[in-house]
Amino acid sequence: MTSADVARLASLARIELTPQELEQFAPQLDVILESVTSVAELAGADVEPTSHALPLTNVFRADEVRPSFTAAQALAGAPAAEDNRFSVPRILDEEA
């Protein structure tokens, strides 16, 4: 990777780099690209692409209807209620 390549990438990313930074980053980006290439070569057709090293499992319980409070029971301890709902102070302007 050349300094011109790094300058082009920096321009696309809208990053301003000094000439010294261009010279410094060119070999570093070259090493990164070589590393990515070597990993891509190791992964054969039998290796499935993954987004995580370990399999993910859903930790949520099933959504089941169960007995709960009625609206009146839930509102019984509320400091203020209106139209069968909790009443709270307005925190946003009318325009929002």
Side-chain angles (χ1 to χ4, degrees), residues 36-80:
V36 170
T37 301
S38 67
V39 169
E41 290 171 355
L42 291 176
D46 58 335
V47 177
E48 184 178 334
T50 59
S51 61
H52 297 281
L54 301 173
L56 299 177
T57 57
N58 187 352
V59 296
F60 299 110
R61 63 172 170 78
D63 191 12
E64 300 170 356
V65 177
R66 299 191 304 194
S68 61
F69 291 127
T70 64
Q73 290 171 322
L75 294 171

Side-chain angles (χ1 to χ4, degrees), residues 75-92:
L75 294 171
E82 185 179 321
D83 295 329
N84 233 10
R85 292 180 247 165
F86 293 100
S87 181
V88 297
R90 179 177 300 277
I91 59 170
L92 300 175

Side-chain angles (χ1 to χ4, degrees), residues 9-54:
L9 290 174
S11 172
L12 291 172
R14 296 191 168 119
I15 299 172
E16 292 183 27
L17 296 176
T18 66
Q20 294 82 12
E21 289 171 326
L22 293 173
E23 290 297 322
Q24 177 186 358
F25 294 148
Q28 292 176 358
L29 285 172
D30 215 16
V31 169
I32 292 170
L33 291 174
E34 287 174 11
S35 299
V36 170
T37 301
S38 67
V39 169
E41 290 171 355
L42 291 176
D46 58 335
V47 177
E48 184 178 334
T50 59
S51 61
H52 297 281
L54 301 173

